[in-house]
Amino acid sequence: MKSFATQQNGIFKSVCSLDCPDQCGLLIHKKDGKIVKVQGDPDHPVTAGNICNKVRNMTERIYDEKRLTTPLKRTGAKGQAIFEPISWDEAIDTITSRWKQLIDEEGAESILPYSFYGNMGKLTAEGMDRRFFYRMGSSQLERTICSKAGS
Ligand code: SF4
């Protein structure tokens, strides 16, 4: 069976992976391999075709020419906003090399994963990052950075 990613044309059922636990049901319209329309799925038993404007207009965001498509490496001083694009291989190698060095020299608890939720859907929140850093043995963070700050 072909995956959604390889199918060029058609209307495909999906669910939103962004901010809300309800995960609105979606119909993804594809033409020539590109998503041309995102629509609420009227057959979804809970959300019944309703979605927010952010996701209704998602195609503009996905294909916007200003969207970042490669990792950026800071080459200036902090705050100068000077970056250069690098490959994914270089980015992963830069990060993992530094982590390995820190773990060897200081122990895994010298690494603090500083993040909170970002996307809050059931598919993406509290997922692989928690498992990854727990397995690494990094320091653990009370995951409520922006929530507490907002309160
Ligand atoms: S309201 Fe919008 S962001 Fe939230 S799950 Fe539905 S489509 Fe996604």
Side-chain angles (χ1 to χ4, degrees):
M1 190 173 84
K2 280 185 172 179
S3 74
F4 163 72
T6 58
Q7 289 175 313
Q8 296 292 299
N9 297 297
I11 301 173
F12 304 92
K13 281 184 178 285
S14 186
V15 292
C16 181
S17 62
L18 293 186
D19 298 336
C20 318
D22 68 339
Q23 295 175 248
C24 294
L26 304 177
L27 294 177
I28 307 295
H29 298 242
K30 285 184 77 178
K31 186 168 181 223
D32 299 330
K34 281 195 152 187
I35 296 171
V36 293
K37 181 178 175 183
V38 179
Q39 175 189 11
D41 181 357
D43 295 331
H44 190 283
V46 176
T47 56
N50 294 293
I51 57 173
C52 64
N53 278 335
K54 175 173 63 181
V55 169
R56 193 185 320 280
N57 297 305
M58 185 58 87
T59 50
E60 292 174 32
R61 178 169 151 183
I62 292 172
Y63 300 117
D64 191 292
E65 64 182 26
K66 292 194 291 265
R67 185 175 175 193
L68 295 179
T69 55
T70 66
L72 297 179
K73 183 173 185 174
R74 178 170 57 79
T75 52
K78 273 191 179 174
Q80 283 187 309
I82 301 173
F83 301 92
E84 69 179 38
I86 58 173
S87 70
W88 285 101
D89 283 346
E90 184 181 347
I92 291 168
D93 186 56
T94 301
I95 293 166
T96 56
S97 299
R98 180 74 177 126
W99 278 351
K100 284 175 184 167
Q101 181 191 359
L102 283 168
I103 291 168
D104 286 346
E105 294 177 1
E106 309 287 344
E109 284 193 339
S110 65
I111 297 171
L112 175 68
Y114 187 78
S115 63
F116 179 38
Y117 260 101
N119 293 340
M120 299 181 86
K122 287 288 185 204
L123 293 176
T124 48
E126 299 179 353
M128 293 309 294
D129 62 329
R130 268 63 166 175
R131 294 177 209 171
F132 177 84
F133 285 110
Y134 182 79
R135 179 74 178 84
M136 175 194 277
S138 72
S139 288
Q140 294 184 31
L141 180 72
E142 181 66 29
R143 299 283 180 157
T144 179
I145 298 167
C146 49
S147 178
K148 284 288 184 210
S151 300

